[in-house]
Amino acid sequence: MTSPKSQPLTAPVEDYLKVIFELEGGAGAASTNEIAAELGIAPASVSGMVRRLAEQGLIAHQPYRGVRLTSAGRRAALRTIRRHRVIEAYLTTALRYPWDRVHEEAERLEHAASDELIDRMAEAIGEPATDPHGAPIPARDGTLSERELSVLDDVEVGARVSIQRVGDRDAGQLRYLAEIGIIPGRRVEVLAREPFGGPISLRVGKAVRSIGPALAKQILVAAV
Ligand SMILES: [Zn+2]
């Protein structure tokens, strides 16, 4: 058994742990098929890696459900997530990158940057609590405080909410959200929702905007 602390993890291992962490958040466990879909690879290639991660003590099998991170796996996942989110925050704050251009850079750099570099980057921009898309940044000690948030698609008509977090992967979607003013910190009011999966109307500042339910599912909000 290899101790995850004694050896730096490879980039693919870090990507697996990150994906399992995210999948676990919803369902409590991550299945081989879900991991394959998230990573865009065949389920057959996931099985081998899953076996290796279990041998290294980073994940444990949940009978009939998939895998879960062990505490060592969770620590490693949170370290990578911290690197990713600090890099995104640094690029937007210190280097004035637009928020739709930082995810791809962070996907590459998260595997290369040392923890010291990441800590210094975080310090240089005032230790932000969230990345530019509103995702919480795990602390240096590996803890992550996640607020209970609602999905915009589930908010009832008439409610006022503040945008907290948006999906970070689709650059085109991020540009669109910025264009219509849906960014973390902005307050919006849900004006109407068409039935049968139709669009949701929102008051955003002085404008009225319509977005589809698929997009509204990727926007997390808090009551105001
Ligand atoms: Zn990202």
Side-chain angles (χ1 to χ4, degrees):
M1 204 144 106
T2 316
S3 158
K5 262 192 181 160
S6 62
Q7 249 182 353
L9 301 173
T10 62
V13 167
E14 290 181 335
D15 284 336
Y16 268 77
L17 297 177
K18 238 175 34 165
V19 160
I20 294 167
F21 179 88
E22 280 157 23
L23 290 169
E24 231 184 46
S31 72
T32 304
N33 285 340
E34 288 170 328
I35 298 168
E38 280 295 306
L39 292 169
I41 54 180
S45 21
V46 171
S47 308
M49 179 63 112
V50 159
R51 203 163 41 240
R52 280 198 296 281
L53 295 177
E55 281 163 11
Q56 288 181 49
L58 295 167
I59 60 173
H61 287 278
Q62 299 280 99
Y64 307 109
R65 297 181 62 204
V67 296
R68 277 194 78 113
L69 297 173
T70 61
S71 55
R74 186 180 155 85
R75 267 199 309 280
L78 284 169
R79 259 201 316 275
T80 308
I81 291 168
R82 172 173 164 82
R83 293 200 295 261
H84 183 100
R85 293 179 182 169
V86 167
I87 290 162
E88 289 191 341
Y90 186 85
L91 293 176
T92 50
T93 307
L95 304 183
R96 304 272 168 243
Y97 267 62
W99 79 338
D100 57 287
R101 298 260 322 276
V102 294
H103 178 74
E104 287 305 314
E105 295 280 11
E107 283 290 282
R108 287 190 295 271
L109 295 171
E110 69 187 14
H111 305 299
S114 69
D115 289 338
E116 184 190 353
L117 173 60
I118 293 300
D119 289 349
R120 286 181 183 235
M121 286 165 95
E123 203 182 320
I125 53 170
E127 307 279 355
T130 59
D131 75 15
H133 313 111
I137 296 177
R140 284 168 198 232
D141 66 4
T143 54
L144 176 66
S145 48
E146 284 198 90
R147 285 178 70 189
E148 196 70 44
L149 298 173
S150 311
V151 177
L152 179 57
D153 191 42
D154 297 335
V155 171
E156 57 189 69
V157 171
R160 282 165 217 263
V161 293
S162 84
I163 307 292
Q164 296 294 315
R165 181 173 173 183
V166 300
D168 71 344
R169 293 189 190 179
D170 185 332
Q173 183 176 299
L174 284 167
R175 281 193 295 278
Y176 177 69
L177 289 174
E179 228 167 76
I180 63 173
I182 297 192
I183 51 175
R186 184 66 55 87
R187 289 182 178 203
V188 303
E189 182 184 350
V190 178
L191 296 175
R193 173 184 282 107
E194 298 302 324
F196 309 113
I200 299 165
S201 303
L202 303 167
R203 188 186 310 284
V204 186
K206 289 193 175 107
V208 174
R209 305 289 190 183
S210 249
I211 63 169
L215 181 51
K217 280 187 180 38
Q218 294 184 50
I219 300 169
L220 298 179
V221 300
V224 292

